[in-house]
Amino acid sequence: MKNKTFGSTLIVAGTTIGGGMLAMPLTSAGIGFGFTMVLLVGLWLLLCFSALLFVELYQTVDSDAGIGTLAEKYYGTFGRVVSTAVLIIFLYAILSAYVSGGSSLLAAFLPTISDAETTTRIAGVLFTLLFGVFVIVGTTSVDAVNRLLFTSKILAFLLVLVLLLPKVSVENLLEMPIDNALLISASPIFFTAFGFHGSIPSLNKYLDGNVKALRISILVGTAIPLVAYILWQLATHGVLSQTEFLQILEKDPTLNGLAEAAAQITGSSIIGAVVRIFSALALITSFLGVALGLLEALDDLLKRVNIQANRATLGAMTFIPPMLFAFFYPQGFIAALGYAGQMFAFYAIVLPIAMVWKLRSQYPTLAYRVKGGKASLLTALVIGVFIVIVPFLIEQGLLPKVVG
Ligand SMILES: N[C@@H](Cc1ccccc1)C(=O)O
């Protein structure tokens, strides 16, 4: 595959732009466009910074090391166990969510087999097999199919923008938050929307530990979602007034509600279909990146206990649990997803900061070091930990509720 840096950039962007993007406009309905921009840029900085910390860390280990191996290097067996558990549970939970989303999408195109539930289960197996194969074959094949799917996703998105942007009114964009605290309540959703960090080890391996290439992939690969999110918020906030937006939320606080409203306002009958195509592609490209990260996290774990599993076995371990979960115990992964923000914040913010803290005293002269010194490490840590607490504050009634 030619130009792996380009491919890796698209895998970062493809994994990042997923379900989070679809939830964002509903979550920020009461915030107004201006303040939503502040949230977007701030969280992009935070998550891009933490991803670059992994680049710094990878200078000190083999290019095929997983996050567990990194954690063991700096925090011993305890580090390995905690980070592996958190990472794997998180990736299983969101992969289950993607399998379940993918199965209902695909089921709509299949004839009914026996009954609706069986059809959905069969669709889930087909969906997983269809896209899982690329993951099992390897990063090169994920790169190839992701280029195609990501390009289609961007085209669908551009079409949505073409339909919506002419209807944007500046007045809508200038609306202020109905409650400033909503900005904080919305932060966990925006935070995970910039997530892709479980896939960094796979990409580092794919790029043979090339620091510059990984850095570029992360910088450009997260800048693409930032631009897409800004345009998406511009379109949705600009087309709907805050009152209209909040009314939709009361009626149907899902993507369907949003697509419906957009269809009414633009008078376009195809917008609903285009939004749905876009969301299917968002789901598939995220599925690919997350599954790749999970497969290699399992590989890293097995190697540690001296088991050399081939990719087919790793594939079975990656895909069978989410399928079973999605079909037989959906409550289980929904419960796990409830803690997605916390698990994600742990392995994507707290863990790399803790590791880099040690790394900088052990290796003071490494070629690449993320700018900002201790002050930015501490600031990122405080913000990361605070975001973890937000859902609890909402539960306690100390912060207003948002949809997401
Ligand atoms: N950013 C992804 C979610 C995700 C978070 C963390 C890692 C991988 C994926 C989405 O919006 O759907």
Side-chain angles (χ1 to χ4, degrees):
M1 182 69 54
K2 266 210 297 206
N3 203 343
K4 286 188 176 181
T5 314
F6 177 69
S8 303
T9 306
L10 295 194
I11 294 179
V12 171
T15 311
T16 307
I17 302 181
M21 170 162 174
L22 306 168
M24 268 190 304
L26 301 168
T27 309
S28 59
I31 302 179
F33 178 68
F35 282 76
T36 300
M37 283 286 296
V38 173
L39 204 53
L40 283 174
V41 174
L43 288 174
W44 170 69
L45 276 173
L46 175 67
L47 288 153
C48 187
F49 172 77
S50 81
L52 291 174
L53 294 179
F54 281 102
V55 182
E56 189 173 331
L57 286 159
Y58 266 114
Q59 294 174 106
T60 63
V61 286
D62 290 341
S63 63
D64 68 347
I67 290 182
T69 300
L70 272 175
E72 185 166 3
K73 180 175 166 70
Y74 292 100
Y75 287 94
T77 314
F78 175 75
R80 152 93 66 179
V81 171
V82 174
S83 64
T84 306
V86 173
L87 178 69
I88 290 183
I89 295 172
F90 172 79
L91 294 176
Y92 269 135
I94 62 170
L95 202 58
S96 306
Y98 292 144
V99 170
S100 120
S103 54
S104 36
L105 275 171
L106 193 58
F109 294 98
L110 294 179
T112 309
I113 306 160
S114 160
D115 55 70
E117 207 177 317
T118 318
T119 315
T120 311
R121 285 185 183 159
I122 294 175
V125 176
L126 289 177
F127 176 85
T128 312
L129 284 177
L130 188 62
F131 297 106
V133 164
F134 294 98
V135 176
I136 294 174
V137 171
T139 311
T140 311
S141 70
V142 170
D143 182 356
V145 69
N146 185 64
R147 286 179 194 218
L148 182 73
L149 294 172
F150 187 80
T151 313
S152 318
K153 171 159 102 174
I154 293 297
L155 289 177
F157 180 54
L158 289 178
L159 190 54
V160 173
L161 290 180
V162 166
L163 292 168
L164 287 180
L165 287 180
K167 310 274 176 189
V168 165
S169 98
V170 178
E171 211 177 296
N172 288 343
L173 291 178
L174 294 178
E175 286 189 274
M176 294 301 281
I178 48 172
D179 177 353
N180 285 334
L182 280 172
L183 198 67
I184 301 174
S185 301
S187 62
I189 306 282
F190 279 57
F191 176 71
T192 10
F194 280 107
F196 71 93
H197 301 50
S199 317
I200 296 175
S202 315
L203 297 175
N204 183 55
K205 187 168 159 188
Y206 187 48
L207 297 167
D208 300 315
N210 182 332
V211 171
K212 188 166 171 227
L214 187 60
R215 249 184 79 210
I216 295 176
S217 307
I218 290 174
L219 284 169
V220 183
T222 57
I224 296 172
L226 175 67
V227 173
Y229 293 174
I230 291 176
L231 291 170
W232 175 231
Q233 294 280 4
L234 182 76
T236 45
H237 279 263
V239 167
L240 296 161
S241 72
Q242 221 160 52
T243 332
E244 285 169 316
F245 227 147
L246 294 167
Q247 269 165 7
I248 299 176
L249 285 183
E250 261 171 38
K251 264 203 295 190
D252 181 3
T254 64
L255 182 68
N256 268 331
L258 186 65
E260 200 80 0
Q264 267 177 30
I265 286 173
T266 55
S268 150
S269 53
I270 59 165
I271 186 141
V274 185
V275 169
R276 265 176 268 274
I277 292 173
F278 169 76
S279 59
L281 291 164
L283 194 135
I284 299 167
T285 50
S286 278
F287 170 92
L288 291 171
V290 170
L292 198 60
L294 177 56
L295 188 139
E296 305 217 356
L298 292 168
D299 189 27
D300 191 54
L301 172 65
L302 290 181
K303 274 197 198 132
R304 177 66 179 77
V305 288
N306 291 324
I307 300 176
Q308 277 293 347
N310 59 28
R311 285 191 80 94
T313 315
L314 290 169
M317 289 174 66
T318 303
F319 295 116
I320 294 174
M323 273 198 279
L324 295 178
F325 251 107
F327 304 140
F328 299 110
Y329 188 50
Q331 305 86 325
F333 82 76
I334 292 170
L337 272 180
Y339 296 97
Q342 282 78 14
M343 294 190 278
F344 177 58
F346 173 78
Y347 84 77
I349 305 279
V350 178
L351 185 69
I353 291 175
M355 293 192 292
V356 163
W357 197 271
K358 277 207 172 172
L359 164 131
R360 288 187 184 167
S361 56
Q362 286 177 18
Y363 301 90
T365 54
L366 284 177
Y368 173 60
R369 177 183 281 202
V370 187
K371 288 198 180 60
K374 287 197 167 152
S376 56
L377 288 180
L378 284 174
T379 314
L381 185 68
V382 169
I383 300 175
V385 170
F386 180 68
I387 290 177
V388 165
I389 302 171
V390 167
F392 297 109
L393 299 178
I394 297 178
E395 226 167 80
Q396 297 296 314
L398 296 169
L399 282 171
K401 272 202 173 69
V402 287
V403 177

